[in-house]
Protein backbone atom coordinates (compact mmCIF):
# COMPACT_ATOMS: atom_id res chain seq x y z
CA UNK A 1 0.00 0.00 0.00
CA UNK A 2 1.27 3.52 -0.77
CA UNK A 3 1.23 6.17 1.93
CA UNK A 4 -1.36 8.90 1.59
CA UNK A 5 0.03 12.12 0.10
CA UNK A 6 -0.89 15.75 0.58
CA UNK A 7 -2.66 15.81 -2.76
CA UNK A 8 -4.76 12.79 -1.81
CA UNK A 9 -8.42 13.53 -2.35
CA UNK A 10 -10.51 13.73 0.76
CA UNK A 11 -13.20 11.17 1.26
CA UNK A 12 -15.19 10.85 4.42
CA UNK A 13 -13.23 8.83 7.02
CA UNK A 14 -15.84 6.04 6.87
CA UNK A 15 -15.40 5.78 3.10
CA UNK A 16 -11.64 5.68 3.44
CA UNK A 17 -11.87 2.98 6.11
CA UNK A 18 -14.24 0.96 3.96
CA UNK A 19 -11.89 1.08 0.99
CA UNK A 20 -8.86 0.35 3.16
CA UNK A 21 -10.60 -2.73 4.59
CA UNK A 22 -11.40 -3.95 1.08
CA UNK A 23 -7.78 -3.48 0.03
CA UNK A 24 -6.70 -5.72 2.92
CA UNK A 25 -9.44 -8.23 2.06
CA UNK A 26 -8.40 -8.58 -1.58
CA UNK A 27 -4.67 -7.99 -1.17
CA UNK A 28 -2.73 -10.40 -3.40
CA UNK A 29 -5.81 -12.11 -4.81
CA UNK A 30 -6.07 -12.59 -8.58
CA UNK A 31 -8.37 -9.99 -10.06
CA UNK A 32 -7.90 -7.76 -7.03
CA UNK A 33 -8.66 -4.55 -8.91
CA UNK A 34 -11.88 -5.88 -10.42
CA UNK A 35 -13.07 -7.16 -7.05
CA UNK A 36 -12.27 -3.85 -5.40
CA UNK A 37 -14.06 -1.81 -8.03
CA UNK A 38 -17.06 -4.10 -7.97
CA UNK A 39 -17.49 -3.99 -4.23
CA UNK A 40 -16.86 -0.26 -4.01
CA UNK A 41 -19.42 0.44 -6.73
CA UNK A 42 -21.97 -1.77 -5.00
CA UNK A 43 -21.49 0.20 -1.79
CA UNK A 44 -22.23 3.55 -3.45
CA UNK A 45 -25.80 4.87 -3.19
CA UNK A 46 -26.06 5.47 -6.94
CA UNK A 47 -24.05 2.41 -7.93
CA UNK A 48 -21.19 4.19 -9.60
CA UNK A 49 -17.50 4.91 -9.11
CA UNK A 50 -16.99 8.59 -8.31
CA UNK A 51 -13.70 10.02 -9.56
CA UNK A 52 -12.57 10.92 -6.03
CA UNK A 53 -13.03 7.28 -5.03
CA UNK A 54 -10.88 6.10 -7.95
CA UNK A 55 -8.25 8.64 -7.01
CA UNK A 56 -8.26 7.54 -3.41
CA UNK A 57 -7.93 3.92 -4.49
CA UNK A 58 -4.99 4.81 -6.74
CA UNK A 59 -3.28 6.51 -3.82
CA UNK A 60 -3.60 3.34 -1.72
CA UNK A 61 -2.65 0.52 -4.07
CA UNK A 62 0.27 -0.08 -6.40
CA UNK A 63 -1.78 0.39 -9.54
CA UNK A 64 -1.41 3.56 -11.63
CA UNK A 65 -4.41 5.86 -11.73
CA UNK A 66 -4.59 5.57 -15.54
CA UNK A 67 -4.85 1.78 -15.28
CA UNK A 68 -7.63 1.96 -12.70
CA UNK A 69 -9.49 4.41 -14.90
CA UNK A 70 -9.08 2.28 -18.02
CA UNK A 71 -10.39 -0.82 -16.21
CA UNK A 72 -13.35 1.17 -14.89
CA UNK A 73 -14.16 2.42 -18.39
CA UNK A 74 -13.47 -0.86 -20.23
CA UNK A 75 -15.93 -3.09 -18.38
CA UNK A 76 -19.58 -2.29 -18.94
CA UNK A 77 -20.21 -3.54 -15.42
CA UNK A 78 -18.71 -0.33 -14.06
CA UNK A 79 -20.40 3.05 -14.08
CA UNK A 80 -18.69 6.39 -13.88
CA UNK A 81 -21.95 8.29 -13.53
CA UNK A 82 -24.74 7.97 -10.95
CA UNK A 83 -27.20 5.25 -11.91
CA UNK A 84 -30.95 5.07 -11.58
CA UNK A 85 -32.75 3.02 -8.95
CA UNK A 86 -33.68 0.55 -11.69
CA UNK A 87 -31.61 -0.45 -14.70
CA UNK A 88 -33.14 -1.60 -17.95
CA UNK A 89 -30.74 -2.95 -20.53
CA UNK A 90 -31.85 -3.69 -24.07
CA UNK A 91 -29.83 -5.97 -26.31
CA UNK A 92 -28.96 -4.49 -29.70
CA UNK A 93 -27.21 -7.55 -31.10
CA UNK A 94 -28.19 -8.96 -34.47
CA UNK A 95 -30.57 -11.66 -33.21
CA UNK A 96 -32.38 -9.23 -30.94
CA UNK A 97 -32.39 -6.51 -33.59
CA UNK A 98 -34.02 -8.89 -36.07
CA UNK A 99 -36.67 -9.64 -33.51
CA UNK A 100 -37.57 -6.04 -32.79
CA UNK A 101 -35.20 -4.68 -30.15
CA UNK A 102 -35.06 -1.27 -31.82
CA UNK A 103 -38.81 -0.82 -31.38
CA UNK A 104 -38.50 -1.91 -27.76
CA UNK A 105 -35.81 0.69 -27.26
CA UNK A 106 -37.74 3.49 -28.93
CA UNK A 107 -40.89 2.59 -27.04
CA UNK A 108 -39.06 2.53 -23.74
CA UNK A 109 -37.43 5.89 -24.40
CA UNK A 110 -40.88 7.33 -24.96
CA UNK A 111 -42.31 5.65 -21.89
CA UNK A 112 -39.52 6.94 -19.66
CA UNK A 113 -39.68 10.40 -21.23
CA UNK A 114 -36.11 10.57 -22.50
CA UNK A 115 -35.14 13.45 -24.68
CA UNK A 116 -32.22 13.24 -27.07
CA UNK A 117 -30.07 15.49 -24.89
CA UNK A 118 -30.43 13.04 -21.97
CA UNK A 119 -28.78 10.30 -23.97
CA UNK A 120 -25.11 9.46 -24.12
CA UNK A 121 -23.71 7.42 -26.98
CA UNK A 122 -25.45 6.12 -30.06
CA UNK A 123 -28.60 3.97 -30.15
CA UNK A 124 -26.36 0.91 -30.20
CA UNK A 125 -24.35 1.98 -27.19
CA UNK A 126 -26.65 4.06 -25.11
CA UNK A 127 -26.63 5.04 -21.48
CA UNK A 128 -29.14 7.47 -20.04
CA UNK A 129 -30.69 8.10 -16.64
CA UNK A 130 -33.99 9.81 -15.99
CA UNK A 131 -33.67 13.17 -14.17
CA UNK A 132 -35.44 11.70 -11.12
CA UNK A 133 -32.81 8.92 -11.08
CA UNK A 134 -35.42 6.19 -11.05
CA UNK A 135 -34.40 4.51 -14.30
CA UNK A 136 -31.20 4.00 -16.21
CA UNK A 137 -31.61 2.79 -19.76
CA UNK A 138 -28.74 1.08 -21.53
CA UNK A 139 -28.00 -1.01 -24.55
CA UNK A 140 -25.56 -3.91 -24.89
CA UNK A 141 -24.05 -5.62 -27.90
CA UNK A 142 -25.22 -9.13 -26.95
CA UNK A 143 -26.17 -10.93 -23.76
CA UNK A 144 -25.07 -14.26 -25.22
CA UNK A 145 -28.67 -15.51 -24.98
CA UNK A 146 -29.56 -15.07 -28.64
CA UNK A 147 -31.99 -18.01 -28.69
CA UNK A 148 -34.16 -15.99 -26.28
CA UNK A 149 -34.26 -12.87 -28.49
CA UNK A 150 -35.29 -10.21 -28.01
CA UNK A 151 -33.65 -10.06 -24.61
CA UNK A 152 -33.97 -7.31 -22.03
CA UNK A 153 -32.32 -7.24 -18.62
CA UNK A 154 -34.24 -5.52 -15.85
CA UNK A 155 -32.42 -5.07 -12.56
CA UNK A 156 -30.10 -7.97 -13.42
CA UNK A 157 -32.95 -10.34 -14.32
CA UNK A 158 -32.99 -11.55 -17.92
CA UNK A 159 -36.36 -11.37 -19.66
CA UNK A 160 -36.73 -13.41 -22.83
CA UNK A 161 -38.89 -13.04 -25.96
CA UNK A 162 -39.88 -9.59 -24.76
CA UNK A 163 -42.52 -7.58 -26.56
CA UNK A 164 -43.52 -3.95 -26.14
CA UNK A 165 -46.47 -4.83 -23.96
CA UNK A 166 -44.61 -7.01 -21.48
CA UNK A 167 -41.82 -4.47 -21.22
CA UNK A 168 -44.27 -1.64 -20.66
CA UNK A 169 -45.96 -3.62 -17.89
CA UNK A 170 -42.63 -4.41 -16.29
CA UNK A 171 -41.70 -0.73 -16.21
CA UNK A 172 -45.06 0.28 -14.81
CA UNK A 173 -44.70 -2.26 -12.01
CA UNK A 174 -41.30 -0.82 -11.12
CA UNK A 175 -42.64 2.71 -11.39
CA UNK A 176 -45.37 1.93 -8.89
CA UNK A 177 -42.67 0.92 -6.48
CA UNK A 178 -43.08 -2.85 -6.33
CA UNK A 179 -39.39 -3.55 -6.51
CA UNK A 180 -38.07 -6.97 -7.37
CA UNK A 181 -36.31 -8.87 -4.63
S1 LIG B 1 -28.16 -10.68 -29.89
FE1 LIG B 1 -29.35 -10.34 -28.12
S2 LIG B 1 -28.70 -11.88 -26.80
FE2 LIG B 1 -27.41 -12.11 -28.51
Amino acid sequence: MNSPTLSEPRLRPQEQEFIDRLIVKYHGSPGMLLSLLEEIQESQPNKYLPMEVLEYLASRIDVPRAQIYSVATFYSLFNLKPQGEHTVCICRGTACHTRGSRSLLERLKLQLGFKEEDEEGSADKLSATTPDRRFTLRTVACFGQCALAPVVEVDHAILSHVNERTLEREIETLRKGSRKA
Side-chain angles (χ1 to χ4, degrees), residues 89-158:
C89 201
I90 295 189
C91 179
R92 293 290 298 127
T94 307
C96 289
H97 177 76
T98 319
R99 292 180 165 263
S101 72
R102 179 173 280 279
S103 321
L104 290 176
L105 179 61
E106 293 307 324
R107 180 71 184 213
L108 193 54
K109 277 162 51 175
L110 268 181
Q111 191 182 359
L112 295 177
F114 280 115
K115 300 186 191 87
E116 236 166 71
E117 59 267 27
D118 300 325
E119 300 167 16
E120 221 171 72
S122 63
D124 290 339
K125 201 170 180 227
L126 176 88
S127 175
T129 298
T130 52
D132 63 3
R133 296 254 170 89
R134 289 213 65 201
F135 291 92
T136 292
L137 172 60
R138 292 166 158 209
T139 54
V140 289
C142 178
F143 280 116
Q145 311 259 11
C146 309
L148 306 177
V151 176
V152 177
E153 188 189 65
V154 178
D155 291 345
H156 303 298
I158 291 283

Side-chain angles (χ1 to χ4, degrees), residues 4 15 27 49 53 56 72 80 86 88 94 104 126 179:
E15 286 182 286
H27 183 69
L49 295 166
V53 166
Y56 180 76
L80 294 178
H86 301 286
V88 183
T94 307
L104 290 176
L126 176 88
R179 301 188 64 167

Side-chain angles (χ1 to χ4, degrees), residues 44-108:
Q44 295 288 318
N46 293 107
K47 304 287 181 266
Y48 79 114
L49 295 166
M51 206 47 69
E52 60 271 22
V53 166
L54 295 182
E55 285 178 8
Y56 180 76
L57 186 61
S59 74
R60 306 294 284 164
I61 61 176
D62 291 323
V63 178
R65 186 180 304 197
Q67 192 180 332
I68 294 179
Y69 186 77
S70 71
V71 168
T73 48
F74 179 78
Y75 290 95
S76 59
L77 160 74
F78 298 123
N79 312 307
L80 294 178
K81 293 207 166 149
Q83 299 297 290
E85 182 187 344
H86 301 286
T87 302
V88 183
C89 201
I90 295 189
C91 179
R92 293 290 298 127
T94 307
C96 289
H97 177 76
T98 319
R99 292 180 165 263
S101 72
R102 179 173 280 279
S103 321
L104 290 176
L105 179 61
E106 293 307 324
R107 180 71 184 213
L108 193 54

